[in-house]
Amino acid sequence: MKLNQLFKFLNIPSKSVDNKIMRTLWKISTFILLLFTLTACMPDSLTKFKESPTKKAEDTTSAGGSGSDDDDDSVTCTPGTDPACTSPGTFSYPGDKNYKFLINEDGETFVLPTIAPTFSNLIEGHDLYLTLSTPSSFATDTGLIIDHTDSSQFVGTPDRFLPKTFYDMTATYSSDQFASDEVSTDTFAVTIAQDLESVIYPTTVGSKVILEVSDVTPFSATTGYNSISAENGVSGLISYIDSDNKELHITISENTGQGYFSVDGEVDNSSAFFNSKATVAAVYNTFDRTTSIQSSLSPTVLGYEALSTEELSSISYSIFPSLPAGLSFDQARGTIGTLRAYQNVP
């Protein structure tokens, strides 16, 4: 059926239909033109809003699959040049590993020497992966700690007494490039002690000494005029003067404390010291030639600071040259005495 025939069948004038069709087609064409115009003017963010996720996925895939920085490091880490995947090697402290700190040496302020560990294969950046640790008692025992910011050397002041003590130091190398940490140890000994100023043998009343002095003329062996004294409270009586050797043979008559005649000490020719009459060049402690037991000589050890009981008990003694026959020397206590009565004294 033709269109005109359809219009006639519906009783619609053909001219009227033509006008309506034209208006309808104009509206459709106008709408299509407007649609294309709006589409061309829309921003990419509206027309391509699904492209960013797709691009991100592609970037992730191109980075190696996981997309994490750690995986990037694992790919680029080069053994031998990168500290993250290079062992620092063996760990060791320098020298003989027997460190002795002498406090107040010669009365001077103590200066801590530089003591730092070394690694056989250390490269720049290893410090980020290395940790050094000490036994829990190390800082308390020694007064020292490790300075992790400066070559892991010891810092602090070893200001306390410490007999020779061994310590195990631990170095730990830790990196995400390895399944487990690399741990190594080194052992060294530390001894801390006060410097000793002097060792003296205080004289006891009745003991006998010989003093070599700078001048014997101010002194006398005559009873009543034979006194001699030192500044530290010891005094005695002169029994014999050896003018040729400038020696005074003395028997101790009084000692107010730990007094003793000392080398380079001053002496007076009175029972109490007032003015120096001579300087002592040498001191000789004497024993009688007899089979009887005589009083022993016991040392007093002086430090530049007071010594603790623990320090004093740790001191050992030696003597040179060897004592004459008939005398004994105790290396643990430093005492000098005679042999027992049943032993012969030449």
Side-chain angles (χ1 to χ4, degrees):
M1 178 182 294
K2 294 181 179 181
L3 187 60
N4 289 336
Q5 292 176 340
L6 177 61
F7 290 157
K8 290 179 178 180
F9 176 77
L10 295 175
N11 196 26
I12 299 174
S14 61
K15 185 177 180 179
S16 175
V17 171
D18 290 339
N19 290 335
K20 289 181 178 181
I21 291 173
M22 290 300 297
R23 285 196 299 269
T24 300
L25 291 175
W26 183 84
K27 290 178 180 180
I28 292 173
S29 62
T30 301
F31 175 75
I32 292 173
L33 178 62
L34 179 61
L35 179 61
F36 277 109
T37 302
L38 291 175
T39 301
C41 294
M42 288 177 68
D44 290 343
S45 59
L46 295 178
T47 59
K48 300 181 180 181
F49 62 92
K50 290 185 179 181
E51 292 183 4
S52 292
T54 304
K55 188 175 188 295
K56 183 177 181 180
E58 292 174 355
D59 291 343
T60 302
T61 303
S62 64
S66 66
S68 66
D69 291 339
D70 291 342
D71 286 345
D72 289 346
D73 291 342
S74 66
V75 172
T76 59
C77 190
T78 304
T81 59
D82 194 324
C85 53
T86 303
S87 170
T90 56
F91 158 68
S92 178
Y93 275 86
D96 61 359
K97 306 180 192 298
N98 185 20
Y99 305 127
K100 300 176 182 179
F101 303 134
L102 192 60
I103 308 302
N104 297 319
E105 185 173 5
D106 297 328
E108 300 294 331
T109 302
F110 177 78
V111 177
L112 183 68
T114 300
I115 301 176
T118 58
F119 292 83
S120 61
N121 193 36
L122 192 70
I123 59 177
E124 185 178 357
H126 258 148
D127 57 314
L128 300 176
Y129 303 90
L130 281 170
T131 302
L132 269 69
S133 58
T134 63
S136 58
S137 63
F138 182 77
T140 303
D141 291 348
T142 65
L144 301 173
I145 59 173
I146 292 177
D147 185 355
H148 296 284
T149 65
D150 189 3
S151 304
S152 297
Q153 65 178 319
F154 291 133
V155 294
T157 303
D159 55 359
R160 61 215 66 184
F161 173 69
L162 179 69
K164 187 175 182 177
T165 305
F166 289 89
Y167 295 97
D168 293 328
M169 310 299 284
T170 303
T172 303
Y173 169 67
S174 180
S175 173
D176 293 339
Q177 301 296 322
F178 299 97
S180 60
D181 295 340
E182 182 179 302
V183 180
S184 58
T185 61
D186 193 26
T187 302
F188 58 76
V190 175
T191 303
I192 306 174
Q194 293 259 9
D195 191 14
L196 303 181
E197 183 178 10
S198 61
V199 179
I200 62 173
Y201 282 85
T203 50
T204 59
V205 174
S207 62
K208 298 177 179 181
V209 297
I210 299 175
L211 301 182
E212 181 183 334
V213 295
S214 59
D215 185 10
V216 297
T217 57
F219 302 94
S220 173
T222 303
T223 303
Y225 302 94
N226 58 341
S227 294
I228 185 171
S229 60
E231 291 183 278
N232 54 30
V234 64
S235 61
L237 299 174
I238 302 171
S239 60
Y240 174 73
I241 299 177
D242 182 349
S243 299
D244 293 337
N245 295 310
K246 295 183 177 181
E247 292 179 348
L248 306 175
H249 292 238
I250 302 167
T251 299
I252 304 301
S253 59
E254 185 178 0
N255 194 341
T256 58
Q258 295 287 310
Y260 60 98
F261 291 105
S262 62
V263 175
D264 295 330
E266 305 294 329
V267 289
D268 193 3
N269 58 0
S270 62
S271 59
F273 186 89
F274 292 103
N275 296 296
S276 174
K277 300 298 190 295
T279 301
V280 178
V283 179
Y284 304 96
N285 292 283
T286 67
F287 291 89
D288 291 331
R289 285 182 175 272
T290 176
T291 56
S292 63
I293 298 176
Q294 303 174 54
S295 297
S296 61
L297 299 174
S298 299
T300 295
V301 181
L302 301 177
Y304 289 96
E305 292 185 0
L307 299 172
S308 66
T309 302
E310 186 181 8
E311 286 178 289
L312 290 171
S313 63
S314 69
I315 295 174
S316 61
Y317 302 83
S318 62
I319 193 169
F320 181 85
S322 299
L323 292 173
L327 296 178
S328 64
F329 180 73
D330 188 332
Q331 292 183 337
R333 296 180 298 171
T335 55
I336 300 173
T338 58
L339 299 177
R340 296 190 179 280
Y342 59 80
Q343 294 179 291
N344 293 327
V345 178

